Amino acid sequence: MARDFLSEVDFKSTVTHTSTDAGSSAGPVIELYRNSASPADADYIGQIKFQGENDNDQKVIYAKITGKIDDASDGSEDGIIEIAHQKAGSNNISARFTSDALKLINGTGLEVAGTIQIDGATTFGVDDTGVDVKFFGATSGRYMEWDESEDSL
């Protein structure tokens, strides 16, 4: 195995990668390239880890961003970005960006401080799961509720 040319470098706190190109192309660029002899769907192809210590002086991965192959078929390649966090002491994939969706998974909710505009159909819950929906207005404590069991507002 070839030795990583950065394995002997000791970065103390900050690494700056500067491009002085005056053009409009992307730069600077950090490229993580997995040169596999047998690439396959679901292969992990790169990862950025955010680590620190806990209050017991143990090294912990608190968050990570991972690149993954969704479809390795020539001409129809698809990629995935996964975001993971520590959740109650365990690694948890909380978001998955695919080529056609943003998926919040494993109990990850969505909070928005502002306005959401949805253009198109919206689905809440999964058919036959018994989900009630509350619509809140500007008055504190006031809302309109769709009760699944009564099929009414």
Side-chain angles (χ1 to χ4, degrees):
M1 181 196 304
R3 196 175 94 193
D4 181 351
F5 80 96
L6 290 176
S7 63
E8 303 293 323
V9 178
D10 185 15
F11 297 112
K12 295 296 182 191
S13 72
T14 302
V15 176
T16 302
H17 186 67
T18 303
S19 170
T20 58
D21 182 355
S24 63
S25 63
V29 173
I30 297 174
E31 180 178 301
L32 304 177
Y33 174 56
R34 174 86 178 255
N35 188 3
S36 172
S38 57
D41 296 357
D43 278 2
Y44 288 93
I45 54 175
Q47 191 169 82
I48 301 171
K49 294 180 181 180
F50 301 88
Q51 301 178 93
E53 292 188 349
N54 64 14
D55 61 4
N56 195 32
D57 201 32
Q58 297 166 319
K59 187 176 179 181
V60 174
I61 300 170
Y62 282 97
K64 59 185 175 180
I65 301 169
T66 304
K68 195 173 177 181
I69 297 173
D70 190 24
D71 182 355
S73 303
D74 185 29
S76 63
E77 299 90 346
D78 290 313
I80 296 174
I81 293 287
E82 290 180 342
I83 299 176
H85 302 87
Q86 275 288 311
K87 182 177 183 180
S90 297
N91 289 320
N92 176 64
I93 298 172
S94 54
R96 183 173 286 134
F97 292 81
T98 66
S99 60
D100 60 1
L102 164 59
K103 302 172 183 181
L104 300 179
I105 57 177
N106 296 324
T108 302
L110 173 65
E111 294 183 22
V112 177
T115 302
I116 296 178
Q117 177 177 330
I118 300 173
D119 298 323
T122 304
T123 303
F124 293 93
V126 179
D127 193 21
D128 229 8
T129 61
V131 176
D132 293 343
V133 179
K134 291 183 179 180
F135 299 92
F136 291 89
T139 305
S140 178
R142 302 283 309 233
Y143 59 86
M144 181 173 54
E145 180 175 15
W146 178 74
D147 186 336
E148 185 275 336
S149 64
E150 296 180 21
D151 197 20
S152 66
L153 284 173

